[in-house]
Amino acid sequence: MASNSNVVFGDEESQLSGGTNRVQPCSSTPRKNTIDDDGKKPNFLSLSQRLGIQDFFCLDVWRASMGELLGSAVLVFMLDTIVISTFESETKMPNLIMSILIAVVITILLLAVVPVSGGHINPVISFSAALVGIISMSRAIIYIVAQCLGAILGALALRAVVSSSIEDTFSLGGCTVTIIAPGPNGPVTKGLETAQALWLEIFCTFVFLFASIWMAYDHRQAKALGHVTVLSIVGVVLGLLVFISTTVTAKKGYGGAGINPARCLGPAIIRGGHLWDGHWIFWVGPTIGCVAFYVYTKIIPSKHFLAEYGFKHDFVGVVKALSNV
């Protein structure tokens, strides 16, 4: 079975060069045990093994999730600060400057968190990695909860340092589909139609996974390019998607594609109000995008980026194990 030790957005066991592991997650069954003694056919794995239930009882997994929590907190604080400062400065091309800064910040944060937890800091990456089978669904749940808590902490920290006027004007840099603005005949709603915003989330999430995370999942590309290059590409692609989504619509009130439900959740919980209007879009859209990407990975030849027999946590394997219960 081909080794997946160079997958970037796996778990912390595969992030250090040379295969040296600082943390051994409890759910990590030795690779050789996923195939028979002849190395030809995969052994049967129980539903519990497929789901990685033991991750819930593994201290090292919870310790790794602290990287996701703190990384998400810093991410929300930095990104929302960038959103506020670029528009507050009244530059001629705030979208472009904002996108460049976002790309740089995301790259730096990923480089910092990858050795700790795998460097997800985004429910899109965690959920997609669980569907593909790089991590267990149990670990994904732990990571996503940590990411959401971190996003709330980041929004709280931002609220503590900005003035109330900036908080009201920029909604803590949160994800918006529409806003209520004063008009000649009273308040009017400005922003993007629900269907348009949902499609943008789906498309941007799929492009994000296809154009950048794909390289991280592919152990051959990750090895050839190196972690720094792969993570830099991830940051650049996200920056480009933010720029495209905020310029192609040209709609005031629409904050651009979220592509990170946790980042949208933090300000929504702390600021509330209109940030909850259409908030479901920033969860449903990325979820559909992740599922679409997973379907794509099942259509293409399996040897393109997966090991010959796939990953033991693969969603199809989970369904098969469930049918045998």
Side-chain angles (χ1 to χ4, degrees):
M1 189 177 198
S3 172
N4 299 320
S5 61
N6 290 296
V7 174
V8 177
F9 288 114
D11 48 44
E12 73 283 352
E13 68 176 323
S14 60
Q15 302 314 319
L16 303 180
S17 60
T20 302
N21 302 332
R22 291 181 182 173
V23 180
Q24 293 291 343
C26 299
S27 65
S28 292
T29 305
R31 304 288 184 191
K32 63 182 181 180
N33 289 341
T34 60
I35 57 178
D36 64 8
D37 294 335
D38 296 327
K40 294 181 179 180
K41 296 180 180 179
N43 281 336
F44 172 77
L45 294 174
S46 67
L47 179 61
S48 176
Q49 290 174 314
R50 291 282 187 181
L51 292 174
I53 298 298
Q54 53 267 59
D55 280 343
F56 285 120
F57 307 99
C58 182
L59 179 60
D60 284 340
V61 174
W62 290 97
R63 291 170 64 188
S65 71
M66 288 301 298
E68 294 295 311
L69 188 149
L70 294 178
S72 296
V74 175
L75 178 71
V76 168
F77 181 84
M78 294 296 293
L79 293 194
D80 291 356
T81 300
I82 289 172
V83 171
I84 293 173
S85 59
T86 50
F87 285 99
E88 179 72 5
S89 60
E90 298 182 354
T91 58
K92 292 184 178 180
M93 297 187 69
N95 292 355
L96 178 60
I97 296 175
M98 177 179 67
S99 301
I100 293 173
L101 292 176
I102 286 175
V104 172
V105 167
I106 288 176
T107 301
I108 294 173
L109 284 177
L110 288 177
L111 287 170
V113 181
V114 155
V116 179
S117 62
H120 296 196
I121 57 176
N122 187 339
V124 165
I125 298 178
S126 297
F127 182 55
S128 175
L131 288 177
V132 172
I134 295 175
I135 66 172
S136 69
M137 190 61 71
S138 299
R139 181 185 289 263
I141 292 172
I142 294 173
Y143 277 10
I144 291 172
V145 171
Q147 291 155 5
C148 291
L149 292 176
I152 295 172
L153 292 177
L156 275 172
L158 181 60
R159 187 179 192 180
V161 299
V162 300
S163 64
S164 58
S165 60
I166 290 180
E167 178 185 344
D168 293 337
T169 302
F170 297 100
S171 302
L172 282 181
C175 305
T176 57
V177 177
T178 60
I179 60 172
I180 305 297
N185 300 316
V188 295
T189 301
K190 294 184 178 181
L192 206 61
E193 295 291 335
T194 299
Q196 289 177 296
L198 179 60
W199 278 114
L200 263 175
E201 284 295 321
I202 296 172
F203 289 148
C204 287
T205 299
F206 183 85
V207 170
F208 169 54
L209 293 170
F210 177 80
S212 59
I213 303 303
W214 176 259
M215 299 180 188
Y217 288 173
D218 187 341
H219 63 277
R220 296 173 303 175
Q221 292 192 69
K223 181 179 180 179
L225 296 174
H227 286 182
V228 175
T229 302
V230 171
L231 297 179
S232 297
I233 292 173
V234 172
V236 169
V237 169
L238 273 175
L240 286 173
L241 289 174
V242 170
F243 177 74
I244 291 171
S245 65
T246 54
T247 55
V248 72
T249 57
K251 291 281 189 178
K252 291 184 178 181
Y254 176 59
I259 323 176
N260 187 332
R263 190 193 81 79
C264 299
L265 179 65
I269 288 181
I270 301 304
R271 179 74 177 90
H274 70 280
L275 289 179
W276 288 112
D277 296 339
H279 178 76
W280 62 272
I281 292 172
F282 300 109
W283 287 90
V284 174
T287 299
I288 296 174
C290 287
V291 173
F293 176 75
Y294 174 68
V295 171
Y296 169 74
T297 65
K298 303 303 291 185
I299 293 174
I300 64 171
S302 60
K303 291 184 179 180
H304 183 79
F305 84 111
L306 291 176
E308 184 176 358
Y309 298 114
F311 296 102
K312 71 175 183 178
H313 300 300
D314 178 82
F315 181 71
V316 170
V318 172
V319 174
K320 289 179 178 179
L322 184 61
S323 64
N324 291 326
V325 173

